[in-house]
């Protein structure tokens, strides 16, 4: 009586290797991109929280019965966030804001920190920034007077790609109207 050896044939092994290779080619890019997906979801959530904070702050300003520029609006957060003349967040130290009518770069960081009571992201000013530190978000402003429709704070999320000219998620906040815009933008160094 002859005993038959059990096992796989060469053809079966080659077919399995080919199928595994095809699966790896199709599935690997999807798994590799999960890191970027996590960055995108994280910053979109933070930007949405910022937008919600702006709306809540303005609602607080409206229901307080006050009008115009207000310092230390007590009904929002810890009560240290000042308003613009239109009732939107402007910063915590607005003594140089000409009674809520002028935006400066430091105000943008104060607004972020006043609306989002967390230290999840490291913010760094765009001025003299080398983009090589552990900074997550680069902030600054454009314009200055609230009467200028192009006066806004910008927050660029660079933690996912610090390379020069890279497109990153950006939030623009217009303190005269409370408008926020989220999109992709490249920062210049």
């Amino acid at each position: 009586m002859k005993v038959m050896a059990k096992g796989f044939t060469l053809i079966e092994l080659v077919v399995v290797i080919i199928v595994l290779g095809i699966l790896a080619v199709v599935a690997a890019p999807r798994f590799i991109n999960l890191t970027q997906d996590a960055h995108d979801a994280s910053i979109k959530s933070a930007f949405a929280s910022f937008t919600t904070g702006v709306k809540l702050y303005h609602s607080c300003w409206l229901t307080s019965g006050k009008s115009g520029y207000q310092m230390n609006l007590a009904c929002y957060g810890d009560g240290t966030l000042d308003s613009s003349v239109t009732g939107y967040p402007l910063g915590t130290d607005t003594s140089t804001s000409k009674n809520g009518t002028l935006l400066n770069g430091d105000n943008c960081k104060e607004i972020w920190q006043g609306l989002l009571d967390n230290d999840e992201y490291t913010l760094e000013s765009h001025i003299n920034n080398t983009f090589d530190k552990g900074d997550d978000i680069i902030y600054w402003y454009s314009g200055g007077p609230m009467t200028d429709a192009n006066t806004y704070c910008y927050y660029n999320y660079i933690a996912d790609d610090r390379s020069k000219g890279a497109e990153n998620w950006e939030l623009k906040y217009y303190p005269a109207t409370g408008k926020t815009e989220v999109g992709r933008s490249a920062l210049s160094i």
Side-chain angles (χ1 to χ4, degrees):
M1 182 166 188
K2 218 179 188 191
V3 176
M4 298 284 287
K6 295 183 180 182
F8 296 106
T9 66
L10 183 59
I11 292 174
E12 290 171 328
L13 290 174
V14 169
V15 168
V16 168
I17 291 171
I18 290 172
V19 169
L20 288 175
I22 291 171
L23 284 174
V25 168
V26 172
R30 178 67 186 138
F31 289 115
I32 290 171
N33 202 23
L34 286 179
T35 301
Q36 185 60 47
D37 291 347
H39 277 288
D40 292 349
S42 173
I43 198 59
K44 284 180 182 180
S45 174
F47 286 169
S49 295
F50 182 96
T51 300
T52 300
V54 169
K55 291 176 183 176
L56 287 171
Y57 182 91
H58 188 66
S59 295
C60 169
W61 180 82
L62 288 170
T63 58
S64 72
K66 301 184 189 241
S67 63
Y69 170 64
Q70 296 296 317
M71 293 183 72
N72 301 327
L73 191 60
C75 59
Y76 186 86
D78 63 1
T80 60
L81 199 55
D82 304 342
S83 76
S84 66
V85 292
T86 55
Y88 292 98
L90 185 60
T92 55
D93 180 14
T94 58
S95 57
T96 61
S97 73
K98 296 185 179 179
N99 292 324
T101 62
L102 186 67
L103 176 69
N104 69 54
D106 292 332
N107 293 143
C108 295
K109 184 175 185 178
E110 295 169 0
I111 293 167
W112 180 277
Q113 293 171 332
L115 291 175
L116 303 176
D117 190 25
N118 66 42
D119 295 325
E120 189 174 334
Y121 298 99
T122 304
L123 273 72
E124 186 63 42
S125 166
H126 191 167
I127 303 301
N128 299 322
N129 193 296
T130 58
F131 294 66
D132 61 355
K133 298 184 233 169
D135 304 328
D136 298 317
I137 295 174
I138 302 298
Y139 73 90
W140 201 240
Y141 76 109
S142 177
M146 295 293 177
T147 54
D148 180 357
N150 289 319
T151 294
Y152 59 87
C153 291
Y154 60 86
Y155 305 92
N156 283 76
Y157 178 71
I158 64 164
D160 59 340
D161 189 351
R162 297 184 196 313
S163 59
K164 193 175 190 175
E167 271 199 356
N168 298 312
W169 287 105
E170 176 185 66
L171 168 72
K172 287 183 181 177
Y173 164 62
Y174 298 82
T177 63
K179 177 181 172 185
T180 58
E181 295 176 347
V182 176
R184 306 241 342 138
S185 178
L187 274 179
S188 59
I189 294 180

